[in-house]
Amino acid sequence: MEKTKGFVIVASHKRNFYLYALNLAESIRDFYEPEEECNICLVTEERFIDDRGYDVADEVIFCDDHYRSKLWGMAKSPYDLTMYIDADMECEHEDIIKVWDEMKDYDMVYSELTDDRDYIYAERDFDTPEGKSKFTLCGGVCLYDMSKPIVREFMDDWWDLTYRQMNDTWWPDGYADSLKSWDQFSLWWLTEKEEKYKDLKIGIFDDDLRWNYYNAFNWARTQPKDPVILRHFSAGLDKDKPIV
Amino acid sequence: MSYRKWLDNAFWEDETKSQVNCILEMEDDVGRVTRQVMKLNRLDKDGNENELFNEVVDSVTEELIDKETNDRVERKKAEQDEHRQRELEHEKARKLEKLFNYKLEAFEVEEIKNSKNRKLKGKLRRAKSRIEVDLYSIMILQEQLEADSNGKD
């Protein structure tokens, strides 16, 4: 049986994220051909939902107001092949349809944090009891195969670990407290430290900047080979200030 | 053992080669190394040759100073161009963020929010400037107003 495919977008905590999510979902539909094959699952809080949410999404799942509900939402994906996209992104190219080809034989696919893109990251290098380390995977977008039990388990664990590190019920010795707010840390921990995930096949999108182009990047310095597909407005938005 | 030497990155301050910018590196008897940047004139105020200037040109050679001068000009120009380009791109990125916010504001206008015209809303979303956002917003508003008045009729 063919695997189901769809996008997961999560909007929690601030209403602005809901508005970003609507815009992202609409923008995916603008470019996805044929549009009727474009499946979108919107994970949001009940207090935010309005007709637009039900119109643009094929499925709506309610979450709580946790700042990192994105991970809870990712673990709840109704699709086998799932493309999670941060709500504050926008689709701007028809190659969005090609996202499923990026799965190849990987279990999960991410965009990469690299040294030459270092200039926009808030916190990337950190000390560990074994020496210096750095984050290499960016969780802004993630393509994953939920038909594999190990991936489903990983997604549950990623949420669980992040939840626990943020409410201080889990934290390993020898790591700075400033890392607690980053789901990148729990991602790093699971992929680098957890025995059961050592065989997980993790890939990087081809020309990965196309799939998660931070608007904060300087185009003269950092650009993909082909046109941007998903632009990330993360840095330049005031998420707390109501849009209207 | 102490020494003094002129570093080979000296360059001319002007096209007439009347002044050279150079660095003298010295090591004292206890092994401490110091570097001193100097701007030396070819002639002193009375028009006599400057011995230190001649020493630099003899040591580094005029050809090497010429080459370093040209390389430095090109390097500086490339740095300036890159800086200018980065500033420009930074400006563009900020503009895009503002436009993104502006579009989201437009989508919160009641009539646009309720419009089912996906084609026009898509055009609004892909607008490249505020004026384009305004134009598509007006078109959607107009359509909504017409629909409302037709409904009343």
Side-chain angles (χ1 to χ4, degrees):
Chain A
M1 205 167 80
E2 201 183 333
K3 290 179 179 178
T4 57
K5 300 165 185 168
F7 299 90
V8 166
I9 305 168
V10 182
S12 69
H13 200 57
K14 304 269 186 211
R15 184 171 179 269
N16 281 6
F17 282 104
Y18 177 69
L19 301 180
Y20 302 148
L22 291 178
N23 183 68
L24 168 61
E26 293 281 6
S27 71
I28 294 171
R29 292 204 179 281
D30 286 346
F31 287 99
Y32 201 99
E33 287 285 341
E35 199 222 308
E36 46 290 3
E37 286 177 20
C38 177
N39 297 311
I40 296 177
C41 171
L42 175 64
V43 180
T44 192
E45 292 180 49
E46 202 165 356
R47 62 182 167 137
F48 297 147
I49 196 78
D50 58 16
D51 287 348
R52 293 176 295 177
Y54 289 115
D55 285 347
V56 78
D58 302 280
E59 192 153 344
V60 175
I61 297 174
F62 292 126
C63 62
D64 69 12
D65 73 342
H66 196 278
Y67 184 62
R68 296 291 182 201
S69 282
K70 75 176 234 187
L71 301 171
W72 183 87
M74 287 171 83
K76 294 282 175 289
S77 172
Y79 312 115
D80 295 331
L81 300 190
T82 301
M83 175 64 167
Y84 164 81
I85 309 174
D86 270 356
D88 52 357
M89 294 177 71
E90 192 175 58
C91 178
E92 56 184 57
H93 199 276
E94 61 269 20
D95 281 354
I96 188 70
I97 183 78
K98 295 179 181 168
V99 67
W100 317 116
D101 302 336
E102 296 284 327
M103 197 74 247
K104 298 171 189 164
D105 65 341
Y106 295 120
D107 298 319
M108 299 188 293
V109 183
Y110 292 89
S111 65
E112 203 173 13
L113 303 173
T114 63
D115 291 344
D116 59 322
R117 303 170 190 171
D118 230 344
Y119 63 98
I120 66 155
Y121 306 139
E123 193 172 12
R124 185 172 172 237
D125 301 277
F126 55 95
D127 292 317
T128 80
E130 296 82 34
K132 295 263 179 211
S133 191
K134 52 179 75 174
F135 298 133
T136 55
L137 301 175
C138 177
V141 293
C142 176
L143 176 66
Y144 52 105
D145 188 345
M146 286 286 274
S147 69
K148 298 180 179 176
I150 188 73
V151 175
R152 285 205 301 276
E153 205 172 326
F154 182 91
M155 290 299 162
D156 283 335
D157 281 350
W158 191 9
W159 157 244
D160 181 60
L161 202 59
T162 308
Y163 185 81
R164 289 196 287 132
Q165 80 181 33
M166 287 179 80
N167 73 3
D168 282 328
T169 54
W170 173 80
W171 194 243
D173 287 336
Y175 293 84
D177 280 358
S178 61
L179 298 165
K180 284 184 183 175
S181 61
W182 299 109
D183 52 42
Q184 241 119 9
F185 182 79
S186 39
L187 177 62
W188 176 84
W189 182 270
L190 291 175
T191 53
E192 300 289 327
K193 298 281 184 186
E194 279 294 337
E195 185 69 17
K196 71 173 167 176
Y197 295 125
K198 71 175 172 43
D199 294 326
L200 211 56
K201 283 181 273 177
I202 298 175
I204 300 296
F205 284 99
D206 285 341
D207 198 7
D208 67 326
L209 285 170
R210 296 191 81 194
W211 297 97
N212 186 13
Y213 190 83
Y214 279 88
N215 203 52
F217 280 138
N218 194 297
W219 187 258
R221 190 172 168 181
T222 311
Q223 51 180 283
K225 290 187 199 83
D226 289 315
V228 170
I229 298 167
L230 292 164
R231 187 176 296 269
H232 206 152
F233 285 95
S234 171
L237 305 179
D238 188 346
K239 278 123 185 178
D240 296 326
K241 191 177 152 202
I243 287 168
V244 284
Chain B
M1 211 170 92
S2 63
Y3 69 83
R4 72 193 283 279
K5 69 174 182 186
W6 298 99
L7 299 190
D8 60 6
N9 57 357
F11 60 91
W12 304 117
E13 281 286 342
D14 58 24
E15 286 177 4
T16 63
K17 301 184 184 179
S18 63
Q19 193 181 51
V20 68
N21 189 316
C22 51
I23 300 171
L24 178 63
E25 187 178 274
M26 293 167 288
E27 190 189 65
D28 65 15
D29 295 337
V30 289
R32 283 179 303 204
V33 176
T34 54
R35 285 180 175 185
Q36 196 179 346
V37 180
M38 296 184 195
K39 280 184 185 178
L40 302 173
N41 292 322
R42 184 183 289 273
L43 304 173
D44 67 17
K45 59 184 178 200
D46 300 322
N48 302 315
E49 285 198 0
N50 179 347
E51 280 182 24
L52 218 46
F53 179 95
N54 290 340
E55 188 187 315
V56 175
V57 176
D58 288 344
S59 164
V60 182
T61 76
E62 189 162 346
E63 290 72 31
L64 209 60
I65 301 174
D66 285 347
K67 185 181 177 303
E68 180 60 29
T69 305
N70 291 334
D71 289 353
R72 193 170 176 278
V73 168
E74 277 173 31
R75 212 165 47 235
K76 290 279 170 198
K77 191 180 172 302
E79 279 170 12
Q80 275 173 1
D81 286 350
E82 194 187 334
H83 181 73
R84 208 173 300 125
Q85 189 60 30
R86 283 187 185 182
E87 285 294 305
L88 208 69
E89 294 297 345
H90 182 74
E91 217 25 64
K92 267 197 219 169
R94 296 295 80 77
K95 214 172 152 185
L96 210 58
E97 278 157 12
K98 283 184 185 163
L99 187 65
F100 180 79
N101 274 312
Y102 190 65
K103 286 177 194 176
L104 291 182
E105 270 184 53
F107 280 115
E108 285 298 279
V109 173
E110 212 52 35
E111 287 80 1
I112 300 175
K113 195 197 249 187
N114 297 331
S115 167
K116 301 287 179 201
N117 191 332
R118 289 208 52 228
K119 198 176 164 193
L120 274 182
K121 285 170 102 171
K123 283 187 180 292
L124 194 160
R125 198 181 338 278
R126 290 193 294 276
K128 300 277 183 235
S129 66
R130 286 171 75 110
I131 186 80
E132 216 181 320
V133 173
D134 293 344
L135 284 171
Y136 287 118
S137 297
I138 290 167
M139 286 168 82
I140 296 169
L141 285 171
Q142 221 159 18
E143 193 184 58
Q144 287 292 98
L145 288 173
E146 278 169 23
D148 287 351
S149 66
N150 286 343
K152 277 174 195 162
D153 295 342

